[in-house]
């Protein structure tokens, strides 16, 4: 029996957004009268308002019980992942490829993603409540932690980077909408749940708009003119290496901690994810005007496609397992 390979529509959307940025840059060019910056900022605030609206405070409190699993996932996402990239800093700190290394650090310091983590854990018959908790709490932690990792190097590279300005923008565009959404959860939580598919589509459209705008500016500045196909292959090889190092490290640690297969699945699936939503939003807030957002997003987008493809294959395989007690 033949298996059909499903292509994620969001991945197709990313490719279309980049092609439009190259062939139809007009609406997002710096001379355009279309207020895409304002539209993007409003869209970002709405994304995180709906994010807060969907967070159930009671479920978050209940989720704290499985603290060993949560501690492992968040430590991998925010400490182990960035430290892996940081080990290569001496090789790139004074070279021509420092921006590429910084883009990898940016990717590594981002929170886990919510929707795909939960969906894949569900397919693989993992611990779904723990996946929901970790993916949700990761987004909140990332608002504080990601700028700290990036600020260490951005302060050195750019004189116009300011922690105060970054956290002010994060508070206004992200934290405040999340807080309002949380406060309104008891009144509008059912609405958010009912129209979850629509809200997810809205999130993705805003992200595609930001990607389109970022790549238009990158193409205008000739950022990718110096990136050759061999370099692109090396970047993707580094993405693959990073993914598998993290995936198998989590599997080894889960075995040492004697996790059940369900908890191991959740740890590996949530711990290897990096949120393109947060990455796209954070890039527009964190990086000064002198940085190319297109280059900063390149490893993240490659990683996003890779994690979806590999984890979906693993999830499909695990969904067919018999019984309970097997190891990954």
């Amino acid at each position: 029996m033949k298996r059909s390979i499903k292509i994620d529509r969001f991945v197709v959307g990313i490719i279309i957004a980049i092609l439009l940025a190259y062939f139809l840059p007009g609406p997002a060019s710096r001379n355009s009268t279309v207020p895409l910056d304002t539209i993007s900022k409003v869209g970002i605030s709405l994304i995180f308002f709906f994010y807060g609206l969907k967070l159930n405070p009671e479920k978050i409190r209940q989720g704290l019980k499985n603290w060993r699993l949560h501690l492992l996932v968040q430590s991998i996402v925010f400490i182990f992942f960035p430290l892996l990239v940081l080990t290569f800093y001496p090789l790139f700190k004074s070279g021509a490829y420092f921006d590429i290394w910084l883009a990898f650090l940016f990717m590594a310091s981002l929170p886990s993603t919510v929707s795909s983590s939960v969906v894949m854990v569900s397919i693989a018959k993992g611990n779904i409540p723990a996946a929901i908790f970790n993916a949700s709490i990761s987004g909140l932690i990332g608002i504080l932690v990601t700028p700290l990792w990036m600020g260490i190097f951005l302060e050195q590279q750019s004189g116009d980077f300011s922690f105060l300005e970054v956290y002010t923008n994060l508070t206004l565009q992200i934290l405040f909408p999340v807080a309002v959404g949380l406060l309104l959860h008891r009144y509008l939580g059912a609405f958010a749940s009912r129209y979850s598919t629509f809200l997810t589509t809205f999130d993705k459209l805003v992200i595609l708009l930001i990607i389109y705008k970022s790549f238009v500016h990158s193409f205008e500045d000739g950022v990718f003119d110096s990136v050759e196909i061999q370099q692109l292959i090396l970047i993707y090889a580094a993405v693959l290496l990073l993914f598998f190092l993290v995936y198998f490290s989590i599997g080894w640690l889960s075995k040492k901690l004697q996790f059940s297969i369900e908890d191991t699945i959740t740890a590996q699936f949530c711990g290897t994810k990096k949120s393109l939503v947060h990455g796209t939003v954070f890039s527009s807030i964190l990086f000064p005007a002198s940085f190319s957002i297109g280059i900063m997003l390149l490893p993240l987008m490659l990683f996003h496609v890779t994690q979806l493809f590999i984890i979906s294959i693993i999830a499909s395989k695990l969904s067919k397992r018999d019984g309970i007690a097997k190891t990954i």
Side-chain angles (χ1 to χ4, degrees):
M1 182 178 178
K2 280 188 176 180
R3 273 190 191 177
S4 59
I5 298 173
K6 292 184 179 179
I7 300 173
D8 189 274
R9 284 181 290 182
F10 188 43
V11 172
V12 175
I14 291 171
I15 295 169
I16 292 171
I18 295 171
L19 289 174
L20 284 174
Y22 187 80
F23 292 107
L24 191 66
S29 67
R30 290 187 173 90
N31 299 321
S32 174
T33 56
V34 181
L36 283 189
D37 284 340
T38 303
I39 294 169
S40 299
K41 287 178 182 178
V42 172
I44 287 166
S45 294
L46 286 173
I47 284 175
F48 284 93
F49 168 70
F50 294 136
Y51 177 71
L53 209 59
K54 289 183 279 187
L55 284 177
N56 188 321
E58 182 56 36
K59 285 185 178 178
I60 290 175
R61 280 194 291 270
Q62 291 175 0
L64 287 170
K65 294 173 184 176
N66 199 348
W67 64 269
R68 289 198 311 154
L69 173 58
H70 308 326
L71 186 61
L72 174 64
V73 172
Q74 302 310 322
S75 297
I76 292 290
V77 169
F78 292 113
I79 299 174
F80 181 68
F81 229 122
L83 285 177
L84 270 179
V85 176
L86 201 60
T87 57
F88 294 93
Y89 175 64
L91 299 176
F92 295 95
K93 64 179 179 180
S94 57
Y97 300 110
F98 176 78
D99 283 357
I100 297 293
W101 176 85
L102 194 65
F104 270 92
L105 181 65
F106 175 56
M107 178 193 76
S109 65
L110 287 169
S112 181
T113 186
V114 178
S115 55
S116 63
S117 291
V118 176
V119 169
M120 294 303 175
V121 167
S122 175
I123 292 171
K125 301 176 184 175
N127 187 332
I128 299 172
I132 294 170
F133 175 87
N134 273 290
S136 301
I137 207 72
S138 181
L140 299 177
I141 295 171
I143 295 170
L144 299 173
V145 175
T146 303
L148 290 176
W149 273 114
M150 298 310 299
I152 297 170
F153 299 95
L154 289 177
E155 274 193 319
Q156 299 171 12
Q157 291 298 118
S158 176
D160 52 351
F161 178 83
S162 165
F163 270 113
L164 179 61
E165 185 180 345
V166 165
Y167 278 112
T168 299
N169 288 332
L170 285 172
T171 300
L172 292 175
Q173 290 189 52
I174 298 177
L175 277 176
F176 180 70
V178 168
V180 173
L182 271 170
L183 288 172
L184 294 177
H185 172 81
R186 62 184 295 184
Y187 306 107
L188 298 173
F191 165 85
S193 179
R194 189 180 308 121
Y195 294 99
S196 178
T197 303
F198 171 78
L199 296 180
T200 300
T201 302
F202 172 80
D203 292 354
K204 290 177 178 179
L205 287 173
V206 173
I207 298 310
L208 291 175
L209 176 64
I210 296 171
I211 289 172
Y212 167 69
K213 180 171 68 76
S214 300
F215 273 80
V216 165
H217 293 172
S218 296
F219 289 137
E220 281 181 341
D221 297 339
V223 169
F224 294 106
D225 292 349
S226 59
V227 180
E228 298 176 357
I229 187 66
Q230 297 95 323
Q231 293 166 334
L232 197 59
I233 292 169
L234 285 173
I235 290 170
Y236 189 63
V239 164
L240 281 173
L241 177 64
L242 197 57
F243 174 85
F244 283 113
L245 273 174
V246 174
Y247 182 84
F248 288 115
S249 295
I250 296 173
W252 181 81
L253 287 168
S254 297
K255 190 173 182 180
K256 291 293 180 184
L257 292 167
Q258 298 182 332
F259 282 173
S260 66
I261 187 171
E262 290 79 12
D263 283 357
T264 300
I265 289 168
T266 300
Q268 288 185 303
F269 284 20
C270 293
T272 52
K273 291 289 194 300
K274 288 295 174 180
S275 174
L276 184 59
V277 172
H278 286 82
T280 311
V281 170
F282 285 5
S283 67
S284 63
I285 297 172
L286 279 175
F287 296 107
S290 56
F291 278 77
S292 165
I293 303 300
I295 284 290
M296 291 299 116
L297 290 175
L298 182 58
L300 175 61
M301 288 191 295
L302 291 172
F303 191 88
H304 177 78
V305 174
T306 300
Q307 68 187 18
L308 281 176
F309 180 70
I310 296 174
I311 291 295
S312 63
I313 293 172
I314 296 170
S316 178
K317 182 181 176 183
L318 287 169
S319 68
K320 298 175 176 62
R321 71 184 186 276
D322 301 323
I324 297 174
K326 287 186 182 179
T327 56
I328 295 176

